[in-house]
Amino acid sequence: MEVTYSADAIVFAIGITGMQKLVTSVPALAAAPEFRAVMNLKSIDVIATRLWLDKKVQTKYPANVLSGFEPQAQAGATYFHLNDLQDEYADAEGSVITADFYNASALMPLSDEAVVARIKRHLETCEPQFASTRVVDSAVLRFPKAVTHFSPGSYASRPYQSTSIPNVFLAGDWVKGVPHGANGLSQERAYVTGLMAANLVVSRLGQGEQASILDTEEDEPHVAAGKQVIRTARETLDTLGLRSPFL
């Protein structure tokens, strides 16, 4: 039985995989070029873990990237020492670590125990003092095709938050045209686009209050220099009538 709900505005705050399923099942979306272009985008598998350790470790950095630790699986990871980042764990007796594997397709079939053992081993490589700790509890969650794959050339297929359907808006780290923070994979960016989509709805309907969005901190000098190099290279190519999917 088909049910219809009337709405003044709609915000699709979903990932690429979910959006693609909507496009293939909703003719009104499939008729719009910017929604059909979403079908060109790709997603990757993610494994999210959390480890509770029996003692607290004083890490050099509260967060770090695990790059090159899984060369065969071609997966990368990030980890966060939550004791340093979240009030909830500030006074915990042992370290609480959250670590996520990205592009984790080759790791998805592993048991929870095997995934936890890999994370623990990688942590010990980054911070040797983790070797003296023991995992007292853990959680492992798998998310197939849940995270945006920001591949070269994909920018052209990414939609803006406002669409050709006047009362339909988009939110997620995969939308473009959002001058806030990194122009790619980021939970913070996804959150900000949700606030911005809500603001677009408020503006369209003429009621409600605009959400306040804080600016990000200025880029560190080496990051700012890198961005300037890319901008200069892009402008040079534009003057020559050339385009590169890598810039």
Side-chain angles (χ1 to χ4, degrees):
M1 178 180 178
E2 184 176 297
V3 179
T4 300
Y5 299 94
S6 88
D8 295 320
I10 295 175
V11 175
F12 290 125
I14 56 179
I16 287 174
T17 301
M19 193 70 243
Q20 290 173 335
K21 290 179 179 178
L22 279 178
V23 172
T24 58
S25 60
V26 180
L29 298 180
E34 76 264 41
F35 286 109
R36 291 199 304 274
V38 171
M39 303 304 294
N40 294 326
L41 301 177
K42 299 177 182 179
S43 300
I44 58 176
D45 297 336
V46 174
I47 298 177
T49 71
R50 184 159 296 185
L51 278 60
W52 286 264
L53 306 179
D54 64 339
K55 64 178 69 172
K56 188 177 291 186
V57 171
Q58 193 66 40
T59 59
K60 186 176 182 180
Y61 303 105
N64 218 326
V65 175
L66 303 174
S67 178
F69 285 71
E70 295 285 349
Q72 187 173 13
Q74 298 182 12
T78 56
Y79 78 83
F80 301 87
H81 191 234
L82 298 186
N83 308 69
D84 296 330
L85 299 171
Q86 296 183 5
D87 293 340
E88 178 182 356
Y89 300 108
D91 299 322
E93 293 184 3
S95 285
V96 182
I97 301 292
T98 184
D100 303 328
F101 279 118
Y102 296 94
N103 196 37
S105 302
L107 302 178
M108 296 285 272
L110 294 176
S111 67
D112 289 358
E113 293 76 14
V115 171
V116 169
R118 286 176 114 85
I119 286 291
K120 181 66 159 53
R121 188 167 63 249
H122 298 337
L123 289 173
E124 293 170 5
T125 301
C126 286
E127 302 271 3
Q129 55 269 43
F130 277 116
S132 65
T133 66
R134 179 174 56 87
V135 178
V136 296
D137 198 5
S138 63
V140 178
L141 300 175
R142 294 167 178 78
F143 300 97
K145 306 302 178 189
V147 171
T148 309
H149 182 200
F150 293 95
S151 56
S154 63
Y155 185 84
S157 296
R158 290 164 58 187
Y160 293 98
Q161 291 201 267
S162 296
T163 72
S164 58
I165 303 175
N167 65 337
V168 173
F169 306 93
L170 302 175
D173 65 355
W174 51 282
V175 301
K176 64 184 178 184
V178 179
H180 190 283
N183 192 25
L185 176 64
S186 166
Q187 295 176 8
E188 293 78 14
R189 179 179 171 83
Y191 173 74
V192 168
T193 61
L195 295 178
M196 296 180 75
N199 286 345
L200 290 171
V201 172
V202 169
S203 296
R204 173 173 173 78
L205 300 182
Q207 62 184 57
E209 295 184 6
Q210 295 276 333
S212 176
I213 300 174
L214 302 178
D215 290 333
T216 57
E217 295 181 355
E218 293 185 6
D219 289 330
E220 295 172 299
H222 65 283
V223 175
K227 287 183 176 180
Q228 183 57 50
V229 169
I230 292 174
R231 279 194 295 268
T232 301
R234 186 182 293 126
E235 291 169 357
T236 301
L237 290 175
D238 287 344
T239 60
L240 298 174
L242 301 175
R243 297 185 64 185
S244 170
F246 300 102
L247 294 176

